PDB file of all heavy atoms in Angstrom:
ATOM      1  N   TYR A   1     -20.439  -8.697 -21.602  1.00  0.00           N
ATOM      2  CA  TYR A   1     -20.049  -8.030 -20.358  1.00  0.00           C
ATOM      3  C   TYR A   1     -21.246  -7.734 -19.464  1.00  0.00           C
ATOM      4  O   TYR A   1     -21.101  -7.673 -18.242  1.00  0.00           O
ATOM      5  CB  TYR A   1     -19.234  -6.768 -20.678  1.00  0.00           C
ATOM      6  CG  TYR A   1     -17.844  -7.127 -21.144  1.00  0.00           C
ATOM      7  CD1 TYR A   1     -17.526  -7.149 -22.506  1.00  0.00           C
ATOM      8  CD2 TYR A   1     -16.859  -7.509 -20.239  1.00  0.00           C
ATOM      9  CE1 TYR A   1     -16.268  -7.526 -22.936  1.00  0.00           C
ATOM     10  CE2 TYR A   1     -15.599  -7.880 -20.665  1.00  0.00           C
ATOM     11  CZ  TYR A   1     -15.306  -7.888 -22.012  1.00  0.00           C
ATOM     12  OH  TYR A   1     -14.061  -8.276 -22.438  1.00  0.00           O
ATOM     13  N   ASN A   2     -22.414  -7.578 -20.039  1.00  0.00           N
ATOM     14  CA  ASN A   2     -23.622  -7.435 -19.218  1.00  0.00           C
ATOM     15  C   ASN A   2     -23.843  -8.700 -18.380  1.00  0.00           C
ATOM     16  O   ASN A   2     -24.192  -8.624 -17.194  1.00  0.00           O
ATOM     17  CB  ASN A   2     -24.850  -7.184 -20.092  1.00  0.00           C
ATOM     18  CG  ASN A   2     -24.878  -5.788 -20.683  1.00  0.00           C
ATOM     19  OD1 ASN A   2     -24.181  -4.885 -20.212  1.00  0.00           O
ATOM     20  ND2 ASN A   2     -25.679  -5.605 -21.721  1.00  0.00           N
ATOM     21  N   GLN A   3     -23.662  -9.858 -19.007  1.00  0.00           N
ATOM     22  CA  GLN A   3     -23.824 -11.128 -18.291  1.00  0.00           C
ATOM     23  C   GLN A   3     -22.820 -11.240 -17.159  1.00  0.00           C
ATOM     24  O   GLN A   3     -23.161 -11.680 -16.050  1.00  0.00           O
ATOM     25  CB  GLN A   3     -23.677 -12.294 -19.262  1.00  0.00           C
ATOM     26  CG  GLN A   3     -24.813 -12.425 -20.260  1.00  0.00           C
ATOM     27  CD  GLN A   3     -24.542 -13.494 -21.311  1.00  0.00           C
ATOM     28  OE1 GLN A   3     -23.405 -13.917 -21.519  1.00  0.00           O
ATOM     29  NE2 GLN A   3     -25.592 -13.941 -21.977  1.00  0.00           N
ATOM     30  N   ARG A   4     -21.603 -10.860 -17.421  1.00  0.00           N
ATOM     31  CA  ARG A   4     -20.567 -10.918 -16.384  1.00  0.00           C
ATOM     32  C   ARG A   4     -20.869  -9.916 -15.263  1.00  0.00           C
ATOM     33  O   ARG A   4     -20.667 -10.218 -14.083  1.00  0.00           O
ATOM     34  CB  ARG A   4     -19.196 -10.607 -16.986  1.00  0.00           C
ATOM     35  CG  ARG A   4     -18.752 -11.610 -18.036  1.00  0.00           C
ATOM     36  CD  ARG A   4     -17.297 -11.420 -18.373  1.00  0.00           C
ATOM     37  NE  ARG A   4     -16.449 -11.767 -17.246  1.00  0.00           N
ATOM     38  CZ  ARG A   4     -15.172 -11.416 -17.127  1.00  0.00           C
ATOM     39  NH1 ARG A   4     -14.599 -10.681 -18.075  1.00  0.00           N
ATOM     40  NH2 ARG A   4     -14.469 -11.777 -16.081  1.00  0.00           N
ATOM     41  N   ARG A   5     -21.344  -8.727 -15.624  1.00  0.00           N
ATOM     42  CA  ARG A   5     -21.655  -7.702 -14.621  1.00  0.00           C
ATOM     43  C   ARG A   5     -22.802  -8.142 -13.726  1.00  0.00           C
ATOM     44  O   ARG A   5     -22.765  -7.950 -12.500  1.00  0.00           O
ATOM     45  CB  ARG A   5     -21.993  -6.379 -15.319  1.00  0.00           C
ATOM     46  CG  ARG A   5     -22.056  -5.169 -14.397  1.00  0.00           C
ATOM     47  CD  ARG A   5     -22.379  -3.903 -15.171  1.00  0.00           C
ATOM     48  NE  ARG A   5     -21.374  -3.615 -16.185  1.00  0.00           N
ATOM     49  CZ  ARG A   5     -21.592  -3.697 -17.491  1.00  0.00           C
ATOM     50  NH1 ARG A   5     -22.787  -4.066 -17.955  1.00  0.00           N
ATOM     51  NH2 ARG A   5     -20.628  -3.413 -18.350  1.00  0.00           N
ATOM     52  N   GLN A   6     -23.804  -8.762 -14.315  1.00  0.00           N
ATOM     53  CA  GLN A   6     -24.942  -9.216 -13.523  1.00  0.00           C
ATOM     54  C   GLN A   6     -24.557 -10.382 -12.613  1.00  0.00           C
ATOM     55  O   GLN A   6     -25.133 -10.557 -11.537  1.00  0.00           O
ATOM     56  CB  GLN A   6     -26.095  -9.627 -14.453  1.00  0.00           C
ATOM     57  CG  GLN A   6     -26.696  -8.459 -15.235  1.00  0.00           C
ATOM     58  CD  GLN A   6     -27.062  -7.277 -14.348  1.00  0.00           C
ATOM     59  OE1 GLN A   6     -27.698  -7.445 -13.308  1.00  0.00           O
ATOM     60  NE2 GLN A   6     -26.654  -6.075 -14.758  1.00  0.00           N
ATOM     61  N   GLN A   7     -23.576 -11.165 -13.033  1.00  0.00           N
ATOM     62  CA  GLN A   7     -23.123 -12.281 -12.214  1.00  0.00           C
ATOM     63  C   GLN A   7     -22.526 -11.793 -10.890  1.00  0.00           C
ATOM     64  O   GLN A   7     -22.593 -12.499  -9.875  1.00  0.00           O
ATOM     65  CB  GLN A   7     -22.090 -13.117 -12.973  1.00  0.00           C
ATOM     66  CG  GLN A   7     -21.750 -14.438 -12.293  1.00  0.00           C
ATOM     67  CD  GLN A   7     -20.653 -15.206 -13.012  1.00  0.00           C
ATOM     68  OE1 GLN A   7     -19.868 -14.629 -13.772  1.00  0.00           O
ATOM     69  NE2 GLN A   7     -20.590 -16.491 -12.792  1.00  0.00           N
ATOM     70  N   LEU A   8     -21.966 -10.588 -10.890  1.00  0.00           N
ATOM     71  CA  LEU A   8     -21.373 -10.053  -9.665  1.00  0.00           C
ATOM     72  C   LEU A   8     -22.393  -9.924  -8.534  1.00  0.00           C
ATOM     73  O   LEU A   8     -22.035 -10.011  -7.362  1.00  0.00           O
ATOM     74  CB  LEU A   8     -20.747  -8.684  -9.928  1.00  0.00           C
ATOM     75  CG  LEU A   8     -19.509  -8.634 -10.820  1.00  0.00           C
ATOM     76  CD1 LEU A   8     -19.007  -7.210 -10.945  1.00  0.00           C
ATOM     77  CD2 LEU A   8     -18.416  -9.541 -10.269  1.00  0.00           C
ATOM     78  N   LYS A   9     -23.649  -9.712  -8.910  1.00  0.00           N
ATOM     79  CA  LYS A   9     -24.687  -9.522  -7.893  1.00  0.00           C
ATOM     80  C   LYS A   9     -25.037 -10.828  -7.172  1.00  0.00           C
ATOM     81  O   LYS A   9     -25.701 -10.805  -6.140  1.00  0.00           O
ATOM     82  CB  LYS A   9     -25.943  -8.936  -8.542  1.00  0.00           C
ATOM     83  CG  LYS A   9     -25.710  -7.580  -9.209  1.00  0.00           C
ATOM     84  CD  LYS A   9     -26.962  -7.069  -9.895  1.00  0.00           C
ATOM     85  CE  LYS A   9     -26.722  -5.718 -10.564  1.00  0.00           C
ATOM     86  NZ  LYS A   9     -27.931  -5.188 -11.242  1.00  0.00           N
ATOM     87  N   LYS A  10     -24.559 -11.946  -7.725  1.00  0.00           N
ATOM     88  CA  LYS A  10     -24.920 -13.247  -7.173  1.00  0.00           C
ATOM     89  C   LYS A  10     -23.800 -13.877  -6.360  1.00  0.00           C
ATOM     90  O   LYS A  10     -23.948 -14.978  -5.850  1.00  0.00           O
ATOM     91  CB  LYS A  10     -25.307 -14.200  -8.314  1.00  0.00           C
ATOM     92  CG  LYS A  10     -26.437 -13.683  -9.200  1.00  0.00           C
ATOM     93  CD  LYS A  10     -26.674 -14.619 -10.379  1.00  0.00           C
ATOM     94  CE  LYS A  10     -27.736 -14.073 -11.318  1.00  0.00           C
ATOM     95  NZ  LYS A  10     -27.938 -14.963 -12.500  1.00  0.00           N
ATOM     96  N   VAL A  11     -22.664 -13.199  -6.253  1.00  0.00           N
ATOM     97  CA  VAL A  11     -21.508 -13.786  -5.575  1.00  0.00           C
ATOM     98  C   VAL A  11     -21.025 -12.877  -4.452  1.00  0.00           C
ATOM     99  O   VAL A  11     -21.364 -11.690  -4.401  1.00  0.00           O
ATOM    100  CB  VAL A  11     -20.351 -14.050  -6.564  1.00  0.00           C
ATOM    101  CG1 VAL A  11     -20.789 -15.041  -7.639  1.00  0.00           C
ATOM    102  CG2 VAL A  11     -19.876 -12.747  -7.201  1.00  0.00           C
ATOM    103  N   GLN A  12     -20.227 -13.444  -3.571  1.00  0.00           N
ATOM    104  CA  GLN A  12     -19.695 -12.712  -2.430  1.00  0.00           C
ATOM    105  C   GLN A  12     -18.184 -12.963  -2.317  1.00  0.00           C
ATOM    106  O   GLN A  12     -17.683 -13.986  -2.787  1.00  0.00           O
ATOM    107  CB  GLN A  12     -20.382 -13.172  -1.135  1.00  0.00           C
ATOM    108  CG  GLN A  12     -21.871 -12.912  -1.075  1.00  0.00           C
ATOM    109  CD  GLN A  12     -22.205 -11.437  -1.079  1.00  0.00           C
ATOM    110  OE1 GLN A  12     -21.444 -10.629  -0.540  1.00  0.00           O
ATOM    111  NE2 GLN A  12     -23.340 -11.081  -1.687  1.00  0.00           N
ATOM    112  N   PRO A  13     -17.463 -12.050  -1.677  1.00  0.00           N
ATOM    113  CA  PRO A  13     -16.042 -12.306  -1.421  1.00  0.00           C
ATOM    114  C   PRO A  13     -15.863 -13.593  -0.621  1.00  0.00           C
ATOM    115  O   PRO A  13     -16.702 -13.931   0.215  1.00  0.00           O
ATOM    116  CB  PRO A  13     -15.601 -11.089  -0.609  1.00  0.00           C
ATOM    117  CG  PRO A  13     -16.615 -10.028  -0.907  1.00  0.00           C
ATOM    118  CD  PRO A  13     -17.906 -10.746  -1.151  1.00  0.00           C
ATOM    119  N   ASN A  14     -14.787 -14.304  -0.884  1.00  0.00           N
ATOM    120  CA  ASN A  14     -14.500 -15.523  -0.135  1.00  0.00           C
ATOM    121  C   ASN A  14     -13.399 -15.247   0.895  1.00  0.00           C
ATOM    122  O   ASN A  14     -12.865 -14.135   0.956  1.00  0.00           O
ATOM    123  CB  ASN A  14     -14.159 -16.667  -1.093  1.00  0.00           C
ATOM    124  CG  ASN A  14     -12.891 -16.423  -1.883  1.00  0.00           C
ATOM    125  OD1 ASN A  14     -11.815 -16.213  -1.310  1.00  0.00           O
ATOM    126  ND2 ASN A  14     -12.988 -16.458  -3.214  1.00  0.00           N
ATOM    127  N   PRO A  15     -13.047 -16.239   1.727  1.00  0.00           N
ATOM    128  CA  PRO A  15     -12.056 -15.994   2.782  1.00  0.00           C
ATOM    129  C   PRO A  15     -10.711 -15.456   2.293  1.00  0.00           C
ATOM    130  O   PRO A  15     -10.021 -14.752   3.041  1.00  0.00           O
ATOM    131  CB  PRO A  15     -11.906 -17.377   3.421  1.00  0.00           C
ATOM    132  CG  PRO A  15     -13.250 -18.012   3.246  1.00  0.00           C
ATOM    133  CD  PRO A  15     -13.703 -17.562   1.886  1.00  0.00           C
ATOM    134  N   ALA A  16     -10.314 -15.773   1.051  1.00  0.00           N
ATOM    135  CA  ALA A  16      -9.047 -15.253   0.540  1.00  0.00           C
ATOM    136  C   ALA A  16      -9.120 -13.740   0.350  1.00  0.00           C
ATOM    137  O   ALA A  16      -8.170 -13.013   0.684  1.00  0.00           O
ATOM    138  CB  ALA A  16      -8.703 -15.936  -0.788  1.00  0.00           C
ATOM    139  N   HIS A  17     -10.231 -13.244  -0.192  1.00  0.00           N
ATOM    140  CA  HIS A  17     -10.416 -11.798  -0.331  1.00  0.00           C
ATOM    141  C   HIS A  17     -10.394 -11.131   1.034  1.00  0.00           C
ATOM    142  O   HIS A  17      -9.767 -10.078   1.226  1.00  0.00           O
ATOM    143  CB  HIS A  17     -11.756 -11.480  -1.020  1.00  0.00           C
ATOM    144  CG  HIS A  17     -11.859 -11.962  -2.427  1.00  0.00           C
ATOM    145  ND1 HIS A  17     -12.598 -13.074  -2.769  1.00  0.00           N
ATOM    146  CD2 HIS A  17     -11.340 -11.490  -3.594  1.00  0.00           C
ATOM    147  CE1 HIS A  17     -12.534 -13.256  -4.082  1.00  0.00           C
ATOM    148  NE2 HIS A  17     -11.768 -12.316  -4.606  1.00  0.00           N
ATOM    149  N   VAL A  18     -11.091 -11.735   1.978  1.00  0.00           N
ATOM    150  CA  VAL A  18     -11.181 -11.169   3.325  1.00  0.00           C
ATOM    151  C   VAL A  18      -9.809 -11.163   3.994  1.00  0.00           C
ATOM    152  O   VAL A  18      -9.430 -10.195   4.671  1.00  0.00           O
ATOM    153  CB  VAL A  18     -12.199 -11.963   4.173  1.00  0.00           C
ATOM    154  CG1 VAL A  18     -12.195 -11.473   5.617  1.00  0.00           C
ATOM    155  CG2 VAL A  18     -13.595 -11.840   3.575  1.00  0.00           C
ATOM    156  N   ALA A  19      -9.039 -12.235   3.794  1.00  0.00           N
ATOM    157  CA  ALA A  19      -7.708 -12.321   4.394  1.00  0.00           C
ATOM    158  C   ALA A  19      -6.798 -11.203   3.897  1.00  0.00           C
ATOM    159  O   ALA A  19      -6.054 -10.594   4.682  1.00  0.00           O
ATOM    160  CB  ALA A  19      -7.094 -13.684   4.094  1.00  0.00           C
ATOM    161  N   LEU A  20      -6.839 -10.912   2.605  1.00  0.00           N
ATOM    162  CA  LEU A  20      -5.990  -9.847   2.059  1.00  0.00           C
ATOM    163  C   LEU A  20      -6.433  -8.482   2.565  1.00  0.00           C
ATOM    164  O   LEU A  20      -5.589  -7.604   2.811  1.00  0.00           O
ATOM    165  CB  LEU A  20      -6.012  -9.894   0.530  1.00  0.00           C
ATOM    166  CG  LEU A  20      -5.303 -11.097  -0.092  1.00  0.00           C
ATOM    167  CD1 LEU A  20      -5.479 -11.109  -1.603  1.00  0.00           C
ATOM    168  CD2 LEU A  20      -3.821 -11.117   0.272  1.00  0.00           C
ATOM    169  N   ALA A  21      -7.721  -8.286   2.751  1.00  0.00           N
ATOM    170  CA  ALA A  21      -8.198  -7.034   3.336  1.00  0.00           C
ATOM    171  C   ALA A  21      -7.749  -6.915   4.786  1.00  0.00           C
ATOM    172  O   ALA A  21      -7.379  -5.826   5.258  1.00  0.00           O
ATOM    173  CB  ALA A  21      -9.720  -6.961   3.242  1.00  0.00           C
ATOM    174  N   THR A  22      -7.753  -8.032   5.499  1.00  0.00           N
ATOM    175  CA  THR A  22      -7.272  -8.058   6.889  1.00  0.00           C
ATOM    176  C   THR A  22      -5.788  -7.739   6.952  1.00  0.00           C
ATOM    177  O   THR A  22      -5.321  -7.006   7.836  1.00  0.00           O
ATOM    178  CB  THR A  22      -7.546  -9.436   7.514  1.00  0.00           C
ATOM    179  OG1 THR A  22      -8.948  -9.699   7.488  1.00  0.00           O
ATOM    180  CG2 THR A  22      -7.050  -9.484   8.951  1.00  0.00           C
ATOM    181  N   LEU A  23      -5.027  -8.284   6.006  1.00  0.00           N
ATOM    182  CA  LEU A  23      -3.594  -7.998   5.941  1.00  0.00           C
ATOM    183  C   LEU A  23      -3.353  -6.511   5.743  1.00  0.00           C
ATOM    184  O   LEU A  23      -2.527  -5.903   6.436  1.00  0.00           O
ATOM    185  CB  LEU A  23      -2.964  -8.789   4.804  1.00  0.00           C
ATOM    186  CG  LEU A  23      -1.461  -8.560   4.570  1.00  0.00           C
ATOM    187  CD1 LEU A  23      -0.638  -9.099   5.739  1.00  0.00           C
ATOM    188  CD2 LEU A  23      -1.016  -9.208   3.261  1.00  0.00           C
ATOM    189  N   GLU A  24      -4.081  -5.915   4.811  1.00  0.00           N
ATOM    190  CA  GLU A  24      -3.921  -4.484   4.553  1.00  0.00           C
ATOM    191  C   GLU A  24      -4.221  -3.661   5.806  1.00  0.00           C
ATOM    192  O   GLU A  24      -3.518  -2.692   6.121  1.00  0.00           O
ATOM    193  CB  GLU A  24      -4.845  -4.045   3.417  1.00  0.00           C
ATOM    194  CG  GLU A  24      -4.765  -2.556   3.106  1.00  0.00           C
ATOM    195  CD  GLU A  24      -5.849  -2.105   2.140  1.00  0.00           C
ATOM    196  OE1 GLU A  24      -5.963  -2.717   1.069  1.00  0.00           O
ATOM    197  OE2 GLU A  24      -6.584  -1.152   2.482  1.00  0.00           O
ATOM    198  N   LYS A  25      -5.239  -4.051   6.523  1.00  0.00           N
ATOM    199  CA  LYS A  25      -5.668  -3.297   7.706  1.00  0.00           C
ATOM    200  C   LYS A  25      -4.669  -3.399   8.853  1.00  0.00           C
ATOM    201  O   LYS A  25      -4.493  -2.444   9.628  1.00  0.00           O
ATOM    202  CB  LYS A  25      -7.036  -3.804   8.163  1.00  0.00           C
ATOM    203  CG  LYS A  25      -7.617  -3.045   9.349  1.00  0.00           C
ATOM    204  CD  LYS A  25      -8.995  -3.591   9.707  1.00  0.00           C
ATOM    205  CE  LYS A  25      -9.574  -2.839  10.914  1.00  0.00           C
ATOM    206  NZ  LYS A  25     -10.920  -3.370  11.275  1.00  0.00           N
ATOM    207  N   ASN A  26      -3.978  -4.535   8.957  1.00  0.00           N
ATOM    208  CA  ASN A  26      -3.159  -4.800  10.139  1.00  0.00           C
ATOM    209  C   ASN A  26      -1.651  -4.774   9.898  1.00  0.00           C
ATOM    210  O   ASN A  26      -0.881  -4.755  10.853  1.00  0.00           O
ATOM    211  CB  ASN A  26      -3.546  -6.158  10.736  1.00  0.00           C
ATOM    212  CG  ASN A  26      -4.950  -6.163  11.313  1.00  0.00           C
ATOM    213  OD1 ASN A  26      -5.192  -5.652  12.394  1.00  0.00           O
ATOM    214  ND2 ASN A  26      -5.884  -6.750  10.565  1.00  0.00           N
ATOM    215  N   TRP A  27      -1.244  -4.794   8.645  1.00  0.00           N
ATOM    216  CA  TRP A  27       0.185  -4.805   8.357  1.00  0.00           C
ATOM    217  C   TRP A  27       0.769  -3.409   8.536  1.00  0.00           C
ATOM    218  O   TRP A  27       0.277  -2.450   7.941  1.00  0.00           O
ATOM    219  CB  TRP A  27       0.434  -5.306   6.937  1.00  0.00           C
ATOM    220  CG  TRP A  27       1.886  -5.442   6.587  1.00  0.00           C
ATOM    221  CD1 TRP A  27       2.592  -4.679   5.700  1.00  0.00           C
ATOM    222  CD2 TRP A  27       2.802  -6.390   7.125  1.00  0.00           C
ATOM    223  NE1 TRP A  27       3.898  -5.099   5.657  1.00  0.00           N
ATOM    224  CE2 TRP A  27       4.060  -6.150   6.532  1.00  0.00           C
ATOM    225  CE3 TRP A  27       2.685  -7.419   8.072  1.00  0.00           C
ATOM    226  CZ2 TRP A  27       5.182  -6.898   6.832  1.00  0.00           C
ATOM    227  CZ3 TRP A  27       3.810  -8.170   8.377  1.00  0.00           C
ATOM    228  CH2 TRP A  27       5.040  -7.909   7.754  1.00  0.00           C
TER     229      TRP A  27
END
């Protein structure tokens, strides 16, 4: 789980994550 946790620091949300956040904000 340390390896998985450290991997989070190397990645970013993609357009699908952003789209769902946009839906929440505007729906």
Side-chain angles (χ1 to χ4, degrees):
Y1 286 99
N2 287 342
Q3 291 173 342
R4 297 192 67 196
R5 192 179 300 111
Q6 294 309 312
Q7 190 184 21
L8 292 181
K9 300 177 180 180
K10 304 175 184 178
V11 299
Q12 297 295 327
N14 64 57
H17 296 104
V18 174
L20 290 175
T22 300
L23 178 67
E24 179 190 307
K25 183 178 179 180
N26 293 283
W27 184 249

